[in-house]
Amino acid sequence: MFKFLNFTPSRIKDLLLIFSLSISIFLVFRHPQAPLSIAITAPSSSPTRRHHLLFSIACSSNSFSRRSSYIRLWYTPRATRAVAFLDKPLSSSLDPTLPPTIVSGDTKSFPYTFPGGLRSAIRVARVVKEAVDRNETGIRWFVFGDDDTVFIVDNLVKVLSKYDHNKWYYVGSNSESYEQNLKYSFDMAFGGGGFAISYSLGKVLARVLDSCLVRYAHLYGSDARIWSCLAELGAVLTHEPGFHQVDMRGNFFGLLTSHPLSPLLSLHHLDAMEPLFPNMNKTQALEHFFKAVNVDSSRSLQQTVCYDRFNQLTVSVAWGYAIQVYEGNQLLPDLLSVQKTFSPWKRGSNVEAHFMFNAREFPRDSCKRPLVFFLESVVSEKKFVWSNYTRYSDGNCPRTDAIKKLKKVRVVSEKVELDIEQMMAPRRQCCEIMPSYNELMVIKIRKCGVDELISMNV
């Protein structure tokens, strides 16, 4: 009677599979569940703000008062967190417009063997540890620089917001001098230009820094010691070209009028430069420059080029600083290279001048140079910013009729609000010259079209 039930091993396996499948279907319909999400994302942290940065400035008691005018340009007591580390106490009373000062710890026990170097390099290197050991609350980034370094704080906040402060980041830039990088390292952030270390990396670096200082007694500077210790930790440099060591002397005009698209973050070696604007001293010129920085820091020194096809003119705008008007059509790649208006950092007849950027010669004959207009004023309205530039005298050089009477240039632009995506994939903006000008040329800066070219249109 049970001959049809042939329970072979394979038949038993099939029956078990059918039974388990039936149970699964029953449970699903009996207890329906919400579908699983494809991906679960952690909530993002709050945006990085000014108060998340702690600036640590390496100073000496001899230079602090003399260079305090540089610090006042970027430091605001209520909005900027900063500490100045000195070699000894100041003789004068505390100035409320300057950061609080701290006397660095004793470094006599650390060896220093670089011939002819300065032992202060050890003290300056230990500023990193002393800044971290303050245990200030709410810090995401430790920023380091010298007392002759000017920071563009709002731009620095925006740039550092690209990176996660909970991860190990060492952010800075090289020297502009090829020889300086070759002598020290292409992988090192030069301390004068300033650099930033994320909170998580700073905490670790502070714990091990003193042992590194013993091993690297033979090095010259503080930045080389910090980089060497970071290298032992396995951390690498994240390059941000807006930090400027400025290893050069003299007239910085060529460097500033061909700034990269990255936001301007710092300028160093201010004592070695000529005033940024004619007929001003260094401090007055920097204060004048910061009138534009304080209105639209993200656009400061951003270069754009436009062409007047009818009059055969090429106009290069370095916003907030200077405008150059060239007679004839100039190729854009040529205008993006830096004019060598400066001299190398090292002096001497046998010094080679190799730089870390494309450079072109600056004509000795002033009549072969473009017509230059320097910043006069900046006015911010609800939607637009008006920056005005005045013609700089070039003597009795012959000029074409189109610009012979030109005295001023006015630039109309919208304030730049950079987000992380724009900084990760920057694009140069376009400009156009309004028709029919005589003494006043008006230029409008705008976003380029999708397939628009910045070209001569010939």
Side-chain angles (χ1 to χ4, degrees):
M1 124 178 222
F2 298 101
K3 290 182 179 179
F4 67 95
L5 295 174
N6 185 12
F7 290 104
T8 63
S10 61
R11 176 65 64 91
I12 294 172
K13 183 178 180 181
D14 292 339
L15 290 172
L16 290 173
L17 288 173
I18 293 171
F19 177 75
S20 61
L21 179 61
S22 300
I23 294 297
S24 299
I25 294 173
F26 170 78
L27 291 174
V28 167
F29 284 97
R30 177 75 179 273
H31 302 285
Q33 298 179 2
L36 294 174
S37 60
I38 296 175
I40 300 176
T41 57
S44 59
S45 61
S46 60
T48 297
R49 305 296 187 193
R50 268 183 173 241
H51 64 270
H52 291 127
L53 277 59
L54 177 62
F55 290 84
S56 300
I57 310 304
C59 316
S60 73
S61 58
N62 291 330
S63 66
F64 187 65
S65 59
R66 176 168 47 88
R67 293 175 172 175
S68 59
S69 59
Y70 299 150
I71 300 174
R72 287 190 185 95
L73 289 170
W74 59 268
Y75 173 75
T76 50
R78 294 185 179 181
T80 314
R81 301 172 72 173
V83 179
F85 289 85
L86 299 168
D87 54 341
K88 56 185 179 181
L90 295 173
S91 56
S92 58
S93 59
L94 181 64
D95 186 338
T97 66
L98 294 171
T101 60
I102 292 177
V103 177
S104 299
D106 187 6
T107 59
K108 292 179 181 177
S109 61
F110 293 94
Y112 185 84
T113 60
F114 188 91
L118 299 174
R119 281 191 56 87
S120 59
I122 300 173
R123 180 184 71 83
V124 174
R126 287 196 87 247
V127 165
V128 174
K129 175 177 173 56
E130 293 176 349
V132 174
D133 287 348
R134 288 174 60 82
N135 290 319
E136 294 200 18
T137 59
I139 300 299
R140 295 184 180 181
W141 294 92
F142 299 99
V143 183
F144 303 94
D146 292 347
D147 54 4
D148 62 339
T149 303
V150 166
F151 290 102
I152 314 299
V153 179
D154 288 336
N155 285 357
L156 189 53
V157 170
K158 291 176 183 178
V159 167
L160 293 179
S161 68
K162 294 191 299 183
Y163 308 107
D164 186 351
H165 60 279
N166 294 308
K167 298 179 180 178
W168 286 12
Y169 277 106
Y170 166 49
V171 185
S173 190
N174 302 127
S175 168
E176 294 84 358
S177 166
Y178 174 82
E179 284 78 14
Q180 290 291 95
N181 292 324
L182 188 65
K183 182 177 181 180
Y184 297 106
S185 176
F186 288 87
D187 298 319
M188 181 186 82
F190 277 65
F195 59 91
I197 294 177
S198 61
Y199 177 84
S200 56
L201 179 56
K203 295 295 284 186
V204 177
L205 178 60
R207 292 199 297 266
V208 301
L209 183 61
D210 282 350
S211 66
C212 294
L213 294 179
V214 174
R215 283 190 293 281
Y216 295 102
H218 62 286
L219 297 179
Y220 169 71
S222 59
D223 42 15
R225 287 168 164 76
I226 294 166
W227 168 71
S228 298
C229 198
L230 288 169
E232 290 190 358
L233 285 171
V236 298
L237 176 64
T238 298
H239 288 264
E240 280 292 347
F243 289 101
H244 293 287
Q245 172 72 9
V246 196
D247 277 336
M248 52 193 70
R249 300 179 187 275
N251 190 340
F252 291 2
F253 178 85
L255 180 71
L256 300 182
T257 53
S258 298
H259 193 273
L261 281 182
S262 302
L264 172 66
L265 301 179
S266 70
L267 291 171
H268 181 229
H269 280 150
L270 301 176
D271 287 346
M273 74 174 185
E274 297 175 5
L276 297 184
F277 297 98
N279 305 317
M280 297 182 186
N281 61 36
K282 291 178 185 179
T283 301
Q284 291 171 336
L286 284 166
E287 290 173 346
H288 188 60
F289 176 63
F290 264 75
K291 293 177 183 177
V293 170
N294 292 333
V295 169
D296 193 354
S297 64
S298 296
R299 195 182 287 280
S300 298
L301 297 186
Q302 291 298 290
Q303 183 187 13
T304 188
V305 175
C306 44
Y307 296 88
D308 182 344
R309 184 177 181 181
F310 180 78
N311 292 303
Q312 297 292 294
L313 298 176
T314 304
V315 181
S316 176
V317 178
W319 191 91
Y321 177 52
I323 294 175
Q324 299 173 85
V325 179
Y326 294 83
E327 298 177 52
N329 289 317
Q330 307 290 323
L331 290 168
L332 178 63
D334 294 338
L335 298 182
L336 299 183
S337 60
V338 177
Q339 301 172 88
K340 291 194 287 186
T341 60
F342 39 80
S343 58
W345 179 249
K346 285 191 172 183
R347 296 185 175 97
S349 57
N350 296 325
V351 173
E352 297 184 19
H354 299 298
F355 298 100
M356 297 293 293
F357 44 72
N358 295 323
R360 54 191 167 108
E361 294 300 323
F362 188 64
R364 292 181 177 273
D365 185 351
S366 61
C367 292
K368 293 182 179 179
R369 300 170 188 169
L371 196 58
V372 177
F373 298 75
F374 283 105
L375 177 73
E376 179 187 78
S377 62
V378 183
V379 178
S380 178
E381 296 184 354
K382 290 182 179 180
K383 191 175 181 181
F384 295 100
V385 176
W386 304 77
S387 53
N388 302 294
Y389 305 78
T390 302
R391 181 169 177 168
Y392 177 66
S393 175
D394 58 349
N396 297 318
C397 298
R399 299 293 180 181
T400 61
D401 291 340
I403 59 174
K404 188 176 293 184
K405 297 180 180 180
L406 189 60
K407 295 181 179 179
K408 294 181 181 294
V409 178
R410 178 171 297 156
V411 177
V412 185
S413 58
E414 292 186 48
K415 187 174 181 180
V416 176
E417 297 293 346
L418 290 176
D419 57 30
I420 293 177
E421 187 173 324
Q422 289 173 316
M423 288 187 288
M424 296 294 285
R427 185 188 182 191
R428 195 177 306 278
Q429 293 199 337
C430 290
C431 62
E432 52 193 6
I433 303 170
M434 299 296 102
S436 119
Y437 52 85
N438 188 7
E439 293 186 355
L440 174 66
M441 175 187 288
V442 178
I443 297 173
K444 180 181 179 181
I445 298 180
R446 56 173 174 78
K447 291 182 179 180
C448 297
V450 174
D451 56 357
E452 184 176 0
L453 299 174
I454 303 175
S455 65
M456 296 183 291
N457 296 318
V458 295

